[in-house]
Amino acid sequence: MGGYPRYSVLVQRYLARTLTCSQYMKDWLLERGHLDADRIGVVKLGIEASHFVPATPSRRHAMKETLLGVDPETVVITFVGRLDPQKRPLLVPRIANELIERIPDLEVVFVMLGDGEERHDLEEIIKSYDLDDIVRVEGLERDPAQYYAASDIFLLPSVNEGISIAVAEAMAMGLPIVTARTGALPEQLGEVVAAGKRTTLAQDLGGILVDHVLDTAKDTILYADALEKILLDPALRNRLGRNARKLANDELDWRITLSALFHETELAENLPGHGDTALLGYPHPAAEMAIQSLLIDAWKETDQVGYCKSHVRGSRSLCISA
């Protein structure tokens, strides 16, 4: 991970405030040299929640027939994401095969939306398991809402994620989520961690968080376990879906996140002498960036001697970290 978050650490003394999209990213910055937690705000990424409305049973049945050409009672599990190593698409046909072996009479279809470097390998694995009719690679889809409407469960076995837009959309559609306990995904599904302990009850989450180990064989079993649990317990499936929809409405609608952005902007206050490098003896920002970039991998040895914590009002600068 790097990019803008790392730049925020490098030039923190020049920034009035840094905004991140998750508590996970805020903690990441603090662990790598950001000196003042009070100057880092959290604003979740927002979606148009009203566009992603949970399908009624009759609409879901109709979408399964018209969009996918399957029987309304078929279970549809949907994956949306780039077909690259981060999202682990190659795990999906293996999970599908494991699930079918466990429940031989299960009528199920895995729908995969997305494209990327692993598409060819994905299609080869699907063929090797003889799952061409079970795992369908549909390619890029600009508006996946119609596929969510035909779906029963959303699956994303990523190595790591920040706030996932695909997960947010599926949550807004009222789908139970099966994904990894990594990055910002736990907080997105409603898991609150305080003082190093999880404080949210599992019954309040919007899905099942899988403690993956990044081993293909082991993780195939772990994700199949989670999916089997949801499939065999309709009450659990419904509860997770309701929780997911509520979380999306309460925290991920763009109107809520935009309001939070305005609030965070109001908190941005520059330091004394900001904008006058001669006054405080600051180096030129470009020179500072060049020097600090050479030292970034040794952040523990470079304390990033920071901005003082006294606040003054004036012009504001922001760094937004995804």
Side-chain angles (χ1 to χ4, degrees):
M1 190 176 297
Y4 290 115
R6 208 175 280 276
Y7 280 128
S8 175
V9 176
L10 285 172
V11 299
Q12 59 183 288
R13 69 186 65 185
Y14 300 110
L15 299 174
R17 196 162 188 81
T18 292
L19 303 185
T20 76
C21 66
S22 66
Q23 181 63 43
Y24 162 76
M25 180 54 67
K26 179 175 180 175
D27 293 341
W28 188 94
L29 290 171
L30 293 170
E31 290 169 0
R32 285 159 179 78
H34 237 294
L35 298 178
D36 191 348
D38 291 338
R39 286 186 174 270
I40 306 174
V42 176
V43 178
K44 301 287 178 68
L45 298 178
I47 62 168
E48 178 53 86
S50 64
H51 179 66
F52 298 93
V53 179
T56 62
S58 60
R59 181 165 186 255
R60 178 171 290 112
H61 289 171
M63 293 303 294
K64 287 181 180 182
E65 287 184 314
T66 58
L67 183 65
L68 302 177
V70 300
D71 185 271
E73 298 305 317
T74 300
V75 174
V76 177
I77 301 172
T78 296
F79 165 104
V80 177
R82 298 186 312 277
L83 303 184
D84 67 18
Q86 181 201 345
K87 307 292 183 179
R88 303 182 80 190
L90 304 188
L91 203 60
V92 174
R94 295 183 169 96
I95 296 169
N97 188 65
E98 174 68 20
L99 203 58
I100 292 169
E101 288 185 352
R102 294 185 185 191
I103 315 174
D105 59 347
L106 176 66
E107 294 293 330
V108 64
V109 167
F110 285 73
V111 176
M112 302 187 68
L113 303 181
D115 206 347
E117 62 187 84
E118 292 197 329
R119 179 162 183 166
H120 175 73
D121 290 343
L122 173 63
E123 291 172 341
E124 288 299 310
I125 293 174
I126 292 171
K127 290 180 181 178
S128 71
Y129 282 113
D130 194 23
L131 293 174
D132 299 81
D133 294 331
I134 303 298
V135 182
R136 304 183 183 183
V137 183
E138 300 287 349
L140 295 173
E141 176 62 40
R142 183 177 298 275
D143 183 4
Q146 59 182 339
Y147 284 93
Y148 294 140
S151 302
D152 298 287
I153 302 170
F154 183 85
L155 170 67
L156 188 67
S158 296
V159 173
N160 199 5
E161 289 282 345
I163 295 297
S164 166
I165 293 297
V167 169
E169 293 172 348
M171 290 172 66
M173 292 290 296
L175 297 181
I177 310 298
V178 173
T179 191
R181 180 178 277 110
T182 184
L185 290 169
E187 66 184 275
Q188 186 169 357
L189 290 190
E191 184 171 274
V192 176
V193 177
K197 297 181 179 179
R198 297 170 192 156
T199 61
T200 306
L201 297 175
Q203 66 188 31
D204 297 323
L205 299 182
I208 294 180
L209 294 163
V210 175
D211 293 303
H212 66 200
V213 294
L214 300 182
D215 175 275
T216 297
K218 293 178 180 179
D219 289 347
T220 295
I221 300 299
L222 292 174
Y223 279 101
D225 287 344
L227 290 171
E228 183 179 22
K229 184 176 181 179
I230 293 177
L231 288 171
L232 297 180
D233 190 343
L236 172 64
R237 186 193 311 181
N238 292 334
R239 185 179 76 242
L240 295 177
R242 288 194 301 270
N243 291 347
R245 172 64 179 174
K246 185 176 187 305
L247 286 165
N249 280 340
D250 291 350
E251 299 182 11
L252 301 174
D253 183 82
W254 70 266
R255 296 161 187 82
I256 294 171
T257 60
L258 183 61
S259 176
L261 177 62
F262 289 154
H263 173 70
E264 288 292 337
T265 302
E266 288 299 314
L267 296 177
E269 298 176 342
N270 279 324
L271 303 174
H274 184 92
D276 186 350
T277 58
L279 182 62
L280 295 181
Y282 285 161
H284 188 280
E288 170 76 358
M289 177 67 76
I291 294 169
Q292 293 296 340
S293 292
L294 296 175
L295 301 174
I296 188 61
D297 288 331
W299 61 270
K300 289 183 179 179
E301 287 72 36
T302 58
D303 61 6
Q304 303 290 342
V305 175
Y307 37 76
C308 70
K309 295 186 179 181
S310 59
H311 292 178
V312 296
R313 296 193 180 279
S315 60
R316 294 165 179 164
S317 56
L318 293 172
C319 180
I320 299 178
S321 299

